[in-house]
Amino acid sequence: MGEQKQLFSASLARDAVYKPGLRGFMEYRDLGIEGATHGQFRAHVIRIKREAAGNHDLHTTGLHQHLCDFQMVYVLKGWIKLVYEEHGEHTFHAGDCFLQPPGIVHNELECSDDVEVLEVYSPAVHQTVVVGKMPEAVAAH
């Protein structure tokens, strides 16, 4: 348990606001968890911007890693295909959930135009680092 008491927070669908975020072709709905946990966690829903739909060249993020302690993704709608160091390619569909271990090198390869995911990570603010190439361990598989 953290030192600061967590606050009650509710994010209602009828009041949902999507804003630009880390990826330019996506939009993000903050769920209010960062403020309620004093920065310990962030939770948001991510989806493709309407104007980016159909342009799959935009849908790749490039190899990167998140320097965080925890990152979980639950697919709400559509599908998303990623590649992970030491684990290869995976396509996740609505209802699938995956945990990305801290610092794992990965890349979003493609996704459906209607993809929506719930992402929860800790801490709320962390660094995302671009990686030049996949670590050698993957090439050996």
Side-chain angles (χ1 to χ4, degrees), residues 40-73:
Q40 289 180 313
F41 292 89
R42 179 177 288 163
H44 51 214
V45 176
I46 307 170
R47 67 184 185 190
I48 299 294
K49 288 181 180 177
R50 280 188 224 276
E51 60 269 19
N55 188 351
H56 289 278
D57 290 341
L58 293 175
H59 293 188
T60 186
T61 57
L63 287 173
H64 63 283
Q65 61 187 163
H66 303 285
L67 305 183
C68 60
D69 299 323
F70 174 85
Q71 185 178 19
M72 183 214 78
V73 179

Side-chain angles (χ1 to χ4, degrees), residues 12-42:
L12 305 180
R14 69 174 179 250
D15 300 328
V17 174
Y18 285 83
K19 296 181 179 179
L22 181 63
R23 308 287 175 215
F25 59 89
M26 295 179 158
E27 54 188 8
Y28 300 73
R29 174 186 167 200
D30 180 56
L31 299 177
I33 304 303
E34 181 177 357
T37 64
H38 310 287
Q40 289 180 313
F41 292 89
R42 179 177 288 163

Side-chain angles (χ1 to χ4, degrees), residues 8-10 29 35 45 52 61 70 88-90 96 98 104 107-108 125 130 134 138-139:
F8 176 80
S9 178
R29 174 186 167 200
V45 176
T61 57
F70 174 85
E89 290 184 11
H90 294 271
D96 293 344
F98 53 100
I104 191 169
N107 183 20
E108 177 194 318
V125 177
V130 173
M134 189 65 81
V138 172

